[in-house]
Amino acid sequence: MLENFNEIKVESSVDKLIKQIKELITTGQLTPGDRLPAERKLAERLGISRSNVRDAIQKLEFYGILKTLPQSGTVVAGIGITALEGLITDVLKLEKSDFTSLVETRVILETSAAHFAAERRTKDDLAEIKKTLKAYELKVKQGEPAIEEDLLFHLKIAEASKNVVLKSLMLIITPDIIKNFTQYKVCDDETEYKAFHEHQLVLKHITDKYSQGAAEVMRKHLRDVIDFSRSTVF
């Protein structure tokens, strides 16, 4: 009998706003090129925080559903309604049970990013990667969570890969990975020190332009997270 019941899921404010935007698009009240109200006005109207509005807009931007134009604000992208509907549905499908899929996708993207970064990085790229690694080290030594600094290090490697599509795909999954890492306490002091030393080795291979080594170390670096995602019941 129990299997006849479905899990009751409480929607977040972010998902509710995404659904409202979808409804406005599918009913023709929002069309490609239309500008959304300012963050502050949307937050006041909906009775939610500006950070919730920002998260929803960023998620839809990552999928190409919305785009922010200089001096014009946030507008609906100029693609067909059917495509927009499908994309928004995909945005809302990322749930807790998809954590393993997110991590597996991250591994594919990250190993490629490390490989290409080792081949294509510039001196400026190396400086940016080193800066994020220093910020990560500082947090670890202070005994504070360094999840965001960790992922920023990886995003800077993606930038150094000079593959804008790869970087965009990483930006799509990053917010959900941060949320799951925080909720399920993936990192502790021991794993963060281990991760720091692995980061150093990845950076060394990128600096030395050793693409195969950078990819291999990155894959090894993410092994613990893969194992965690597959062994945990969400």
Side-chain angles (χ1 to χ4, degrees), residues 157-224:
I157 290 175
E159 285 184 10
S161 77
K162 308 306 178 190
N163 185 318
V164 293
V165 176
L166 190 155
K167 181 191 171 187
S168 295
L169 289 172
M170 282 183 61
L171 285 170
I172 291 170
I173 66 174
T174 293
D176 292 278
I177 289 178
I178 290 177
K179 179 181 70 178
N180 281 285
F181 271 37
T182 304
Q183 184 171 356
Y184 300 109
K185 298 180 174 63
V186 176
C187 298
D188 56 25
D189 290 345
E190 184 180 346
T191 57
E192 286 189 336
Y193 269 110
K194 176 174 175 284
F196 171 66
H197 292 303
E198 290 168 347
H199 282 183
Q200 287 181 310
L201 189 53
V202 170
L203 176 57
K204 181 182 185 303
H205 288 326
I206 291 174
T207 302
D208 295 341
K209 294 199 168 188
Y210 180 27
S211 56
Q212 183 179 344
E216 287 175 357
V217 173
M218 184 65 78
R219 188 176 290 107
K220 180 182 177 183
H221 171 58
L222 296 170
R223 184 75 254 170
D224 289 344

Side-chain angles (χ1 to χ4, degrees), residues 124-139:
D124 288 341
D125 291 326
L126 290 177
E128 286 297 314
I129 297 170
K130 288 176 183 176
K131 188 188 300 182
T132 61
L133 184 56
K134 188 68 179 175
Y136 179 80
E137 180 184 17
L138 184 62
K139 280 289 187 75

Side-chain angles (χ1 to χ4, degrees), residues 4-229:
N4 294 325
F5 289 87
N6 294 319
E7 180 185 356
I8 297 174
K9 297 174 183 175
V10 180
E11 285 188 310
S12 68
S13 298
V14 172
D15 283 352
K16 286 181 179 179
L17 176 52
I18 290 173
K19 282 190 173 180
Q20 280 202 37
I21 292 173
K22 176 183 178 181
E23 180 69 18
L24 291 171
I25 290 173
T26 55
T27 58
Q29 296 176 68
L30 270 179
T31 59
D34 284 349
R35 185 171 63 181
L36 266 63
E39 271 184 20
R40 178 181 57 80
K41 291 184 177 179
L42 269 176
E44 290 174 355
R45 172 65 178 169
L46 297 167
I48 60 177
S49 69
R50 288 184 67 174
S51 64
N52 284 155
V53 173
R54 194 174 303 117
D55 287 347
I57 289 174
Q58 286 179 345
K59 198 169 232 187
L60 292 172
E61 281 182 333
F62 292 154
Y63 274 75
I65 296 161
L66 300 177
K67 58 183 178 181
T68 300
L69 303 174
Q71 300 179 334
S72 297
T74 303
V75 300
V76 179
I79 57 178
I81 297 300
T82 303
L84 284 172
E85 269 196 271
L87 283 170
I88 294 175
T89 299
D90 286 344
V91 174
L92 294 170
K93 279 182 179 176
L94 282 176
E95 299 178 0
K96 292 178 186 177
S97 59
D98 294 305
F99 184 43
T100 300
S101 298
L102 285 169
V103 173
E104 288 175 346
T105 303
R106 181 186 174 191
V107 172
I108 295 169
L109 297 175
E110 295 261 23
T111 52
S112 295
H115 178 96
F116 290 133
E119 291 182 344
R120 304 168 181 172
R121 94 295 185 279
T122 64
K123 288 183 179 179
D124 288 341
D125 291 326
L126 290 177
E128 286 297 314
I129 297 170
K130 288 176 183 176
K131 188 188 300 182
T132 61
L133 184 56
K134 188 68 179 175
Y136 179 80
E137 180 184 17
L138 184 62
K139 280 289 187 75
V140 171
K141 286 184 175 178
Q142 291 174 342
E144 298 177 13
I147 295 170
E148 291 186 12
E149 287 77 12
D150 178 19
L151 288 168
L152 187 57
F153 170 81
H154 290 273
L155 287 174
K156 287 300 179 182
I157 290 175
E159 285 184 10
S161 77
K162 308 306 178 190
N163 185 318
V164 293
V165 176
L166 190 155
K167 181 191 171 187
S168 295
L169 289 172
M170 282 183 61
L171 285 170
I172 291 170
I173 66 174
T174 293
D176 292 278
I177 289 178
I178 290 177
K179 179 181 70 178
N180 281 285
F181 271 37
T182 304
Q183 184 171 356
Y184 300 109
K185 298 180 174 63
V186 176
C187 298
D188 56 25
D189 290 345
E190 184 180 346
T191 57
E192 286 189 336
Y193 269 110
K194 176 174 175 284
F196 171 66
H197 292 303
E198 290 168 347
H199 282 183
Q200 287 181 310
L201 189 53
V202 170
L203 176 57
K204 181 182 185 303
H205 288 326
I206 291 174
T207 302
D208 295 341
K209 294 199 168 188
Y210 180 27
S211 56
Q212 183 179 344
E216 287 175 357
V217 173
M218 184 65 78
R219 188 176 290 107
K220 180 182 177 183
H221 171 58
L222 296 170
R223 184 75 254 170
D224 289 344
V225 185
I226 296 172
D227 292 341
F228 175 86
S229 71

